[in-house]
Amino acid sequence: MMTNSKSDSVTVADVARAAEVSKSTAARVLGNRGSASPAARNKVLAAAERLGYYPNALARAMSEGRAHTIGAVIPDISSPFFSSVVRGLTDRIREAGLEVLIINTDNDAEIEAHSLEMLATKRVDGLVLAPVIPHGSGMARLLAQRGLPIVLFDRRSEGLQDLPLVALNHEHAAQLATQHLIDLGHRRIAVATQVPSWVGRLLDPAQPAERPSAQRLRGYLSALHQADIPIDMRLIINTPYDHMGAADAVMHGLAGLDATALIATDSVVTHGAFLALQRLGIGMPDELSFVGFDDQDWTTLVSPQITVLTQPLRGLGVAAADLLSRRIAQPDEPQADVLLHGELLIRQSTRRV
Amino acid sequence: MMTNSKSDSVTVADVARAAEVSKSTAARVLGNRGSASPAARNKVLAAAERLGYYPNALARAMSEGRAHTIGAVIPDISSPFFSSVVRGLTDRIREAGLEVLIINTDNDAEIEAHSLEMLATKRVDGLVLAPVIPHGSGMARLLAQRGLPIVLFDRRSEGLQDLPLVALNHEHAAQLATQHLIDLGHRRIAVATQVPSWVGRLLDPAQPAERPSAQRLRGYLSALHQADIPIDMRLIINTPYDHMGAADAVMHGLAGLDATALIATDSVVTHGAFLALQRLGIGMPDELSFVGFDDQDWTTLVSPQITVLTQPLRGLGVAAADLLSRRIAQPDEPQADVLLHGELLIRQSTRRV
DNA sequence: ATGAAAGCGCTAACAA
DNA sequence: TTGTTAGCGCTTTCAT
């Protein structure tokens, strides 16, 4: 048994010729559409088998005008957050018969622009975009205007107000975390996060809080507000977005604060804050109650185990896939945002004050 | 300024017409190849700009016969190992002007087969494959025979002996870890890993040790061998590949073993072993020295900080990209395996006995 | 330097 | 049910 060693692949026409039917008959049975007599069907299938035919998705995409592919444009696939989300996304989108092209932007607006352009060039059927914030390239808006279905993920950047979003309900999540501490009797609750410059207007609902950290901070503030706990700006510790920097910021920020609890609003700052508490030798939960974000491996390996607010990672990816699928199927049907709820995992780092 | 709202995109022919040149002239300047007079060039570029032309990569792939895309077929993008590797891979491969299609197999041979077939259908230029072990589908071999460039990653499965491999030098890595303990005076060194059924023949070099765990176990054995330390099979603890199961296995396996040191040969088992030691209340490094695999976040957050053998994650991805690029460029040039070295990060969980 | 024309392998509209 | 015919948008000879 030998195959032709020439790399030129077998086409529908080849199969048709071998099966002694017309090209369109062969195309119909191979494409599994239209109609064909059992006789023809068998001949074609046999010929295809014999010649080792397998379809050329490129040609199909070309003539259909659809690539059966979507793009996922995200900051960094190697982060635990995005890698799990993407897993959910790809699994779900494959069920719909599409593939996913993943691009990392490293939160660089220029890379984002190039990536989006490249994907447009590839004629993807749609895009999931975790945009660079506060403002990404204008590219996404341009593509959306052209009619390309786009779903925003995790956050919305300026100028993309009209695109549907799939994200954690950041504000609600932070409220949950804060409320937990309030329920435990805490009133001096510090928060470590990336504080936006317009923090003063954060409780003003007119101000759109685009970045997740800002929305989470708002959740913190509104929980305090509802509990009639006065807001002390010194309790809001501004940190950079790397765990070493965050650790330093928390070490300094916490000094002389008489806080009885601390919330870190994302995984990186949670890591940094934990380091800071370790270095300061502050005992949890006795001296301080601590709530982190994201259910990272280490939060159950250290002692005490850390109470965290966890996100439905794969669920977020699945939701993004579903929303995008809907947009692709019904481009004109407006789609509402999908905000998933976080869940508080109460462990050992928090206790009644 | 308005664009035509019809979604039909602007083609080379459209640009040519607008620029009042022939289709081929327009194609040449847009494709940046062949020659064109400055005058024609300007007219075409201006027209393209004006009409909002952007190329159709599908059509290009179709006519070139190359998709400018590679496939990465791996067990699970959401694992810390593969997500970092893939990051290195995609970054590097994009520099070469290609994109990456990522497929998760969950170590299922059937999914692997379907995925490979699908990628062949897409006419990818090449593949990076972390095959299902011990034997994957026959699909990879088939595609390789057809002339598709394939690079194996992390491991080799049966029947794929002739394909080049990019991986950690697993055996050497485990040797490093074991030697470290030997240097500290340990002689009763336990190892937690997935033990192959043919463990008895492990030191026989004729037996190809395909799975990384087996190769790592071999590294452990040969380090002991070289140090003239007799091998005690009871020190080899067989664990399942999930951290809870591994924790149980280690708890039982360690009982009455008078081991002074323990090695875990992968990240999952390291996690499990650490849990076991915690539960047993075994103090590190006083009662037991412990070496884990992979530099996971938590290994520096727990106390004592864990001594680990770390892999060059992105480097592995970059190496895979480079090797595949070479195979694509020179399909007939045989390529040697690329084995990267691990590095021991000595921390606080190991000490002189 | 430029243009005409023939594919790449498939889908789809239309006839028979 | 079957076959004929045109494309999809690009690249690539081959003349001019």
Side-chain angles (χ1 to χ4, degrees), chain A residues 22 24-25 28 35-37 40 62-63:
Chain A
S22 77
S24 37
T25 299
R28 258 177 271 126
S35 45
S37 66
M62 173 79 238
S63 79

Side-chain angles (χ1 to χ4, degrees), chain A residues 178-202:
Chain A
T178 310
Q179 190 61 49
H180 168 59
L181 292 168
I182 293 173
D183 290 345
L184 290 177
H186 294 273
R187 291 181 62 86
R188 297 287 297 167
I189 303 172
V191 59
T193 189
Q194 293 160 81
V195 181
S197 55
W198 36 275
V199 58
R201 280 170 293 150
L202 208 45

